[in-house]
Structures are given as C-alpha cells and as structure tokens.
Amino acid sequence: MMSYVLLAMGLLFALTAANAYAPRRSPVLLAASFFVGWLTIELAPHVLVAWAAATALLAAFGGLDGWAGWTGLVLAVLGIAGVAATLAASRRTVVTLRDSGAPLELDPEGAPRYPLGHLIVPPLCLVPRKGVRVERNVVYRQEGRLRLKLDVFRPAGERADGELRPGLMQIHGGAWVIGDKREQGLPLLNHMAVQGWAGFNVNYRLSPRATWPEHLIDLKHFVAWYKEHAEEYGADPDFLCVTGGSAGGHLTAMVALTANVPEFQPGFEDADTTVQGAVPFYGFYNFFEPGTFPRPFGTTRLMERMVVKQPFAENQETYAKASPVTYLREDAPPFFVIHGSRDSLIPAVEARRFVERLREVSGSPVLYAEMQGAQHGFDVFPSYRTARVIEGVERYLTGLHRQYRQGRTPEVPDEVTRSLGEPSVG
C-alpha cells in the first residue's frame, strides 16, 4: 500500500515541478496552474524540505516494497531536482534589461555601460521592521460614509539635516476586486524606509462595489492629499513616485500617465496629480486590443460584469480610456517596467509591447526588466528573487531622486547603468 502512496506522491511532485517550468494557460487550468506554480517557485526552500521529508518518511515505512515504490522514488527525486534547480536559478537572478533607448556611455572608470544587457543586482538581506516606523490607517479621503485609509512607512529617526524625504506610493493588486494595503508591497516599503524614503501603502475602493474609474479617482485623491500633507510625515510634496503589482501595476501606469486629466479628477480638476517616476510590476496595459489572448482583455467576464460593468462590444472607447497605452505622451515620467518571464496570468509579451510603444513617444527613460523564471506575483514573498528586485528598484528610484535634487533631466540613473553588462549567469 505504501509503495502506491509513494508512486502517487512522486507523480504529483514531478507534475508540480513541470508546471513550475511550463504553466498551463488553458481557461480550465489557468488559475490552478498559476497558484501551484507561484507557490512552488517562490517558496522553493520550503517545498524542498517538505518534499524531501515526505519522501524519506514513505521510504522508511515500506514505500520501496515493489516496483511502484521505486518508480515513485525516481519521480519524487526528479521533482525535487526540478525545484532545486528553480531555487538555484532564483539565487543568481539576472534581470534582463531590454534596450532602454539610452546611448552607450562610459562610467568614470572608463568601463562601458550597456543599455543592452543585464542588470545584475547583488543579494539583499531582507530588512526586519526594526528601524522602521509604521503609522497605520491614516484617512486620506473622507466623504460621507466613505473613508479611505493608508499606512505610512518611514525611518524611525528624523533626518539630522531636516531635509524632506522622497515619497513612494504603493498600490496593491488583486484584479481590482480583492487585496489590501496590509498584504502587498511590504518588503519593498520596509527596505525603502530603511534607505530614507517615506512610503504610503494606499487602499482604494474595490469592485464589484466600485465601478471603473472610481479605483483611479481614489488614487488621484491620494496624490492630491500627498501634496498637501506630505510634510506632516517628513516627505517632499514635490517628489512622489508610484509602484504596484498586477492590478496595482495597471493603476500605477494610469496614475503616472493621466496626470491632471480632468475626467479622472471630478471635483478636484485643478489639483496637481503629477508623479516623478513609475515602477509597475506585472501589470496589464491594454484592455481593448488583442494581444497574447485571442480576444481583448476587456471582453472577459471580470471586466464586463464586475469592474467596468459595460458590454465591451458597445463600449470599446470606455475600455480604451481604461488602458494605459491610450495615454502615452512625450512628457510621461520615467518608467521602470518589471515582469516575470513565466507569468501565466499576464504574459511578459504584454509588458514588452507596452514598453516598446511608450519608448516611441516618451522623452523620459523607459527601462524594462524581465525576471527570468518568475511567475506572476513573484515579489509577494520575501524570496531571493524578491530581494534582488527590491534592491534594483531602490537603486533606480534613489537615482531619480538624486537627479531631481540636482535639477537634472531624468535619465537612466548611474546606480543602474553601472550594473549593466554581460551576465555571469544565463
């Protein structure tokens, strides 16, 4: 009996490891494939320990009595080896950077900086909450029964020189229908606070109660609130960058590209809602044109029934207005777009196409980083890959802030370009 249990478990391990490398994208298996692959890749150390322990226990209690047990053992070992390879790859993560549009330059030592190449970010020890002060549930918008809140992350001590800190807005994901400021962006916000930033993890109304564009309107209320209240939290009201993942990545791009658009600022049309930089993670950027999917994303049940609440066929202009690609402009702020190469929910080609179109129009730097082997939502867990991408984002944003203080036109920050070169790992 135990040998057949080991066979079944070995088959499960092998299939799970294979799914991590090649997730299923059929409508029936998409959700299950994503969740299993996501957990397998990003929690690889935990998975390895659990699988090895389970295999050893079954083998010790008679699992190898018969051909089924030995076959199961081989399959289990293959599965464990596959997950181990995933872990090894994440520990030497290479962020593939596609053409940033910047010319080839030399650094002060005469070494070339390659806008074509790879950003190799050194390991980052995830910072504990020690040294970070968090102020929770600050109300930034209150109208009648509506109360929208945020959490503020900043260093525990005040700056000796009294200088105001750069601000970072974090927008959670969750398909516009779920999610909360307590669940996402925490590793990044903690790290940025230790590096001297003031972070604002912002909640917004969710569907189906909220109807597009109420999600975006709420976030623009925050930008207006920030410019009025930033100094109360030691932040610079004239410098704010925005980041977020998945639906938060879409909203990040919309906040950055629709600054001061009256349609999305009803009742506060004169408020300044510009931001100085955007870092969207694995976002969706086009609802009205087919891409890697056979039909536009706006035709999905999620968008038609819960988010936009309008039939796509008769309201394509509405879906176009909800798409970041509609608002590409020359004066767009600098963008650093990040995506996972194995994203099974929003394929990386969607991000590549957005970046290509933005570069054709924008006068600011547009960087694209593709995390090799990463699934959708790869930064939710404090993994090796998360550590590396957090360090890369911090160096990028800190470079932008330094240029802002020096009164320079935004360009690819030195801290990023000095890390560009031929990869040591493929």
Side-chain angles (χ1 to χ4, degrees):
M1 180 64 182
M2 295 301 291
S3 63
Y4 286 99
V5 174
L6 181 55
L7 175 62
M9 188 181 72
L11 183 61
L12 176 64
F13 289 176
L15 291 174
T16 301
N19 176 74
Y21 281 91
R24 303 297 91 193
R25 289 178 177 168
S26 68
V28 176
L29 300 176
L30 179 62
S33 177
F34 158 66
F35 279 108
V36 172
W38 176 50
L39 296 174
T40 303
I41 293 172
E42 305 307 332
L43 294 178
H46 308 77
V47 171
L48 275 178
V49 172
W51 286 10
T55 302
L57 283 173
L58 283 175
F61 284 92
L64 298 179
D65 295 339
W67 67 269
W70 284 101
T71 303
L73 178 63
V74 171
L75 291 171
V77 170
L78 289 174
I80 291 171
V83 175
T86 296
L87 176 61
S90 71
R91 293 191 61 137
R92 58 179 192 269
T93 292
V94 173
V95 186
T96 302
L97 279 177
R98 301 183 183 272
D99 183 13
S100 68
L104 181 64
E105 302 178 52
L106 299 179
D107 66 19
E109 289 74 35
R113 298 173 181 164
Y114 296 94
L116 284 170
H118 295 72
L119 171 63
I120 305 174
V121 183
L124 166 73
C125 295
L126 288 179
V127 183
R129 293 176 61 96
K130 182 179 180 181
V132 176
R133 176 172 39 162
V134 182
E135 187 171 347
R136 300 195 181 279
N137 297 321
V138 176
V139 177
Y140 74 88
R141 184 185 181 194
Q142 183 169 356
E143 295 180 13
R145 299 177 62 182
L146 175 64
R147 285 169 55 88
L148 296 175
K149 301 177 182 179
L150 56 85
D151 294 340
V152 184
F153 291 70
R154 49 183 166 157
E158 299 297 332
R159 297 188 69 155
D161 56 9
E163 186 175 354
L164 295 174
R165 304 180 184 280
L168 179 64
M169 174 188 186
Q170 155 68 29
I171 306 173
H172 71 76
W176 306 273
V177 298
I178 60 174
D180 187 83
K181 59 185 173 58
R182 298 170 296 178
E183 302 165 354
Q184 298 175 34
L186 304 183
L188 176 61
L189 289 171
N190 275 290
H191 178 62
M192 296 300 288
V194 168
Q195 298 301 317
W197 286 63
F200 299 81
N201 208 350
V202 185
N203 269 353
Y204 54 94
R205 284 176 290 177
L206 300 173
S207 295
R209 178 172 295 180
T211 302
W212 179 265
E214 290 176 337
H215 321 70
L216 178 59
I217 292 171
D218 290 343
L219 298 171
K220 285 182 168 288
H221 269 285
F222 163 77
V223 177
W225 175 93
Y226 173 86
K227 293 180 184 294
E228 291 184 9
H229 299 274
E231 293 190 35
E232 300 172 20
Y233 300 92
D236 184 350
D238 295 324
F239 189 89
L240 176 67
C241 294
V242 57
T243 186
S246 195
H250 160 259
L251 291 166
T252 291
M254 288 295 291
V255 167
L257 293 171
T258 64
N260 304 328
V261 173
E263 181 178 356
F264 300 129
Q265 299 179 200
F268 60 113
E269 292 86 354
D270 295 334
D272 179 15
T273 56
T274 58
V275 296
Q276 282 62 54
V279 184
F281 285 71
Y282 41 86
F284 213 101
Y285 307 103
N286 192 332
F287 294 138
F288 67 99
E289 295 176 326
T292 53
F293 302 103
R295 297 184 301 164
F297 190 74
T299 62
T300 60
R301 186 183 184 91
L302 169 68
M303 301 304 295
E304 290 190 314
R305 300 288 184 86
M306 299 185 69
V307 180
V308 179
K309 301 176 185 174
Q310 295 182 27
F312 177 86
E314 295 83 20
N315 300 277
Q316 294 190 33
E317 183 179 356
T318 301
Y319 287 88
K321 288 183 177 181
S323 302
V325 293
T326 301
Y327 303 94
L328 307 182
R329 64 182 202 273
E330 185 178 2
D331 64 342
F335 264 75
F336 186 4
V337 179
I338 301 173
H339 219 92
S341 67
R342 290 188 185 148
D343 193 320
S344 59
L345 295 186
I346 306 175
V349 67
E350 298 292 332
R352 295 177 199 158
R353 290 175 177 172
F354 170 70
V355 167
E356 290 171 2
R357 294 173 69 168
L358 181 56
R359 284 179 181 155
E360 292 174 355
V361 178
S362 177
S364 298
V366 181
L367 283 164
Y368 174 56
E370 194 163 294
M371 304 298 293
Q372 299 305 300
Q375 249 288 4
H376 194 82
F378 62 82
D379 63 319
V380 173
F381 300 110
S383 65
Y384 294 109
R385 183 177 286 111
T386 299
R388 285 169 166 81
V389 77
I390 284 175
E391 179 70 12
V393 169
E394 183 271 319
R395 292 169 72 179
Y396 174 77
L397 292 177
T398 297
L400 288 182
H401 183 243
R402 182 174 295 114
Q403 293 169 16
Y404 156 79
R405 291 175 57 194
Q406 295 171 349
R408 294 162 54 191
T409 301
E411 58 187 23
V412 180
D414 291 346
E415 289 75 8
V416 174
T417 55
R418 286 197 183 111
S419 298
L420 298 179
E422 293 301 321
S424 58
V425 181

